[in-house]
Amino acid sequence: MIGVFDSGLGGLSVLAALVEALPRADFVYYADTAHVPYGSKSDEQIQRRVLAIGEHLANIGCGLLVVACNTATAAAVQALRAAHPGIPVVGVEPGIKPAAQETQSGRIAVLTTEATANSRRLKHLIRDHAGRVEVFVEPCPGWATHVEMLQLDDPALAADVRVRIEPLLDRGVDRIVLGCTHYSFLAPLLLQVAGTRAQLVDVADAVARQTQRLAADLAHGSGRLLLQASAHPERLHAALPRLHLGQIAARVA
Ligand code: DGL
């Protein structure tokens, strides 16, 4: 079984790519809804949660873990790997590298939680992969919570998206990296503002390919999916149609 987790619903955007890449694999998705959002928590708090979830997923038999959360990856992927040396761990990091390779204007933006924006890992990612490209890091407090509450049509959110994205476009940004897995569900809203001026960069498919490379025998299961949450698991099930995740709903055991 492959364990996939996030603070809440965001990692479902990664899970959608995973089930497509590994149609016969068995998955368990764990949403830490009792502790969402991670983006406003300290590294120590996030590490504690990630280690507890890793322990739980290892105990129920996961042979591979996917940290479907940029914030958790930045704060705790090293600690998770150290705690489970026998289990491959795939993390999610903002697609700075593909965005820097594709940009025509030489300016890209990365939208993240506050914790990711302040992380050493993001600074290193930019230093190592952006080259001469100018990178604007834009923390977006509250966005993940809007997704979590399924308030995707909230006018206040639409206004905040506009306030954050328009100045980036005015500075010539032509690639917008989704540096939080929750933001994939805001793509329609972001594209409404970006129009043809910028493209969105999402790494879900790249994460799925990396997981495929490491899956070995885990790729050959019976295609089942278990959904778990630390609070209100029923909301996780109810969110699937609202997030247009029929392909995930069809697999739930
Ligand atoms: N989905 C998470 C990420 O990719 C974090 C959202 C949150 O809990 O703040 O960063």
Side-chain angles (χ1 to χ4, degrees):
M1 194 155 59
I2 299 176
V4 184
F5 68 94
D6 177 43
S7 57
L9 301 177
L12 291 171
S13 60
V14 178
L15 183 66
L18 287 167
V19 298
E20 200 172 310
L22 291 155
R24 301 302 308 152
D26 294 320
F27 289 97
V28 53
Y29 182 85
Y30 188 94
D32 196 11
T33 36
H35 302 94
V36 68
Y38 282 177
S40 54
K41 294 192 168 48
S42 69
D43 280 5
E44 293 69 32
Q45 288 172 311
I46 299 167
Q47 272 175 25
R48 264 202 301 280
R49 289 310 305 152
V50 167
L51 291 176
I53 296 166
E55 190 66 29
H56 163 69
L57 294 174
N59 284 341
I60 62 171
C62 292
L64 197 161
L65 298 177
V66 180
V67 186
C69 174
N70 295 262
T71 309
T73 300
V77 76
Q78 276 173 328
L80 185 63
R81 289 195 173 115
H84 301 280
I87 299 183
V89 175
V90 178
V92 175
E93 291 191 301
I96 300 291
K97 191 176 177 182
Q101 284 167 349
E102 291 164 11
T103 177
Q104 305 287 311
S105 66
R107 291 178 164 199
I108 67 173
V110 52
L111 312 179
T112 68
T113 65
E114 296 134 285
T116 302
N118 293 326
S119 70
R120 202 175 314 137
R121 252 186 118 90
L122 181 63
K123 287 185 185 72
H124 288 177
L125 198 64
I126 293 170
R127 182 197 64 196
D128 296 343
H129 296 295
R132 296 160 67 91
V133 166
E134 195 172 356
V135 183
F136 299 94
V137 178
E138 184 72 30
C140 305
W143 286 17
T145 302
H146 270 93
V147 173
E148 213 50 41
M149 315 281 284
L150 298 175
Q151 294 169 338
L152 303 176
D153 303 322
D154 183 350
L157 174 64
D160 196 42
V161 165
R162 197 165 286 284
V163 162
R164 291 184 187 281
I165 302 303
E166 273 176 351
L168 295 168
L169 298 169
D170 291 343
R171 285 160 128 162
V173 159
D174 68 353
R175 293 294 183 279
I176 298 174
V177 179
L178 305 181
C180 168
T181 53
H182 280 74
Y183 302 167
S184 300
F185 297 114
L186 301 179
L189 211 49
L190 289 160
L191 286 169
Q192 254 172 41
V193 178
T196 54
R197 295 166 78 190
Q199 290 179 25
L200 306 182
V201 179
D202 193 335
V203 296
D205 289 334
V207 170
R209 284 194 298 275
Q210 172 66 358
T211 307
Q212 216 174 18
R213 279 192 281 273
L214 296 173
D217 287 351
L218 296 173
H220 312 291
S222 47
R224 268 176 319 161
L225 168 64
L226 209 60
L227 294 180
Q228 299 184 338
S230 52
H232 307 296
E234 71 288 352
R235 286 194 199 156
L236 194 52
H237 292 261
L240 298 177
R242 186 73 177 80
L243 298 175
H244 308 291
L245 294 172
Q247 75 281 36
I248 291 182
R251 282 175 157 249
V252 177

